Amino acid sequence: MADELLWADRPSIRCPGGGLLEGELRRRGVATARGPLYVDTDHAAAVALRAVLPAARGPAGLGVAATGQASSTTAAAVSAAMAAVLAVAGRPRSVLLAAPRSFCAGVERAIEIVERLLAQRGGPIYVRKEIVHNRHVVDGLRARGAVFVDELDAVPRGATVVFSAHGVSPAVRAEADRRRLKVVDATCPLVTKVHAEARRFAGQGDTVLLIGHAGHEEVEGTLGEAPERTILVQSVEEARRVRVPDPGRVTYLTQTTLSVDETAEVITELRNRFPALRGPASDDICYATTNRQDALRSIARDTDVVLVVGSRNSSNSLRLVELAERTGTPAHLIDDARDIRPEWLSGVERIGLTAGASAPPGLVDSVVAALGGLGPLTVGERETTRESIHFTLPAAVRRQS
Ligand code: SF4
């Protein structure tokens, strides 16, 4: 896979769209490696293909070579992958970026906590669950000495363990105490707020109807605050059916990363059934989730396809994909440029681009660069609000900075 096309007798040409070709090769079962491709070495290759396109910043290349040992199947796959990418290359397009997008304050804080611990105490630093739901972030921290575990029994007694941004139940905290672990809590303060509400309302004798998705770590943590008094409600349908001991003593709370529109429908249904329903003083769906959904709503109708940078287990990224689709615009979740399928760009002139709250901003830049490698690209941004929220770090990592 060419990062750059090199000739003996003329300037080299960079290949920013190479990620798309790499993804297409991998989907066709071809293992890839990236590097410069010398254009005069094709005599040694079973397949050596390259193209030079007019692109966003001068000419851009696409190049791929398979070694002399490549099977005919691999050679056919390489040719087909190149043809698939070239089929959508060379035409002008625009990218409209939604703003705000990418990291929120809670995610930045959680990542900084692990980074500071690694710098201050060295590895290994144990982290219960993924610190935030993003593959690139987790892989990057793992490479620097973070050890991600599913449960605390995988952490040696007395070691340092970080609780992820999604929060934990009291049972997990108690288990950490029993194992004498040094806990650093990276739970987002906005998740902590929901835990406090669950304790308060349950303590007042209410049944807490927690709107959220079963199995999500945040929901497991919040449910654990008052398990005997909390019922999970995942949909309007479940809101219609849920039974409570005393309809006059019911509170709703929500996961922080839900669809604003769908949650409003669930709450309306609950209110119809339980007129005395109480709720949190301020929305549990957090500012970052709300802002990213508002920003996406504003661009989705003006674009032909929407790409959402985020990982499959990122709740707020998945909600962005669903929101774009509800406005009638096809949308796709991508971990990075390699996940972009050429056929998504066929006949497409206007691409909407955003990223979930756990996706690094640099990934968005690399997607823009990859799209710019396919042909002339104009890039614009539509900002619906500006975020200035910042959360302070826990004292345990602040002290030693
Ligand atoms: S998405 Fe919201 S609740 Fe989750 S970490 Fe970010 S700010 Fe906190």
Side-chain angles (χ1 to χ4, degrees), residues 317-332:
S317 303
L318 290 167
R319 303 293 84 80
L320 293 172
V321 172
E322 292 167 1
L323 175 58
E325 287 173 339
R326 270 206 306 281
T327 68
T329 306
H332 306 284

Side-chain angles (χ1 to χ4, degrees), residues 150-298:
D150 267 340
E151 292 306 339
L152 296 182
D153 55 13
V155 182
R157 286 181 86 80
T160 298
V161 65
V162 181
F163 291 156
S164 79
H166 309 103
V168 299
S169 67
V172 173
R173 289 183 193 282
E175 169 72 4
D177 280 351
R178 266 195 303 277
R179 299 180 65 81
R180 299 189 186 290
L181 302 177
K182 299 184 195 83
V183 170
V184 182
D185 191 357
T187 304
C188 175
L190 300 182
V191 174
T192 303
K193 161 188 170 286
V194 182
H195 282 233
E197 289 162 349
R199 285 195 299 274
R200 182 162 63 88
F201 286 117
Q204 291 168 359
D206 283 15
T207 298
V208 175
L209 299 178
L210 177 62
I211 305 169
H213 298 295
H216 190 281
E217 286 147 37
E218 181 188 325
V219 164
E220 285 175 359
T222 310
L223 277 172
E225 289 290 350
E228 69 296 341
R229 288 203 161 270
T230 309
I231 302 172
L232 182 62
V233 176
Q234 299 190 72
S235 63
V236 172
E237 187 48 42
E238 289 190 12
R240 264 184 216 124
R241 285 189 278 115
V242 67
R243 300 168 75 93
V244 298
D246 179 354
R249 300 233 46 136
V250 188
T251 298
Y252 79 85
L253 299 176
T254 82
Q255 191 179 333
T256 56
T257 50
L258 298 180
S259 154
V260 172
D261 298 341
E262 286 179 10
T263 305
E265 289 169 21
V266 175
I267 294 169
T268 301
E269 182 59 33
L270 291 175
R271 259 194 220 296
N272 289 340
R273 290 202 51 212
F274 310 114
L277 182 75
R278 295 198 286 170
S282 62
D283 273 356
D284 289 336
I285 297 180
C286 75
Y287 79 96
T289 299
T290 307
N291 289 348
R292 279 149 193 71
Q293 289 178 18
D294 287 346
L296 175 59
R297 205 179 281 109
S298 103

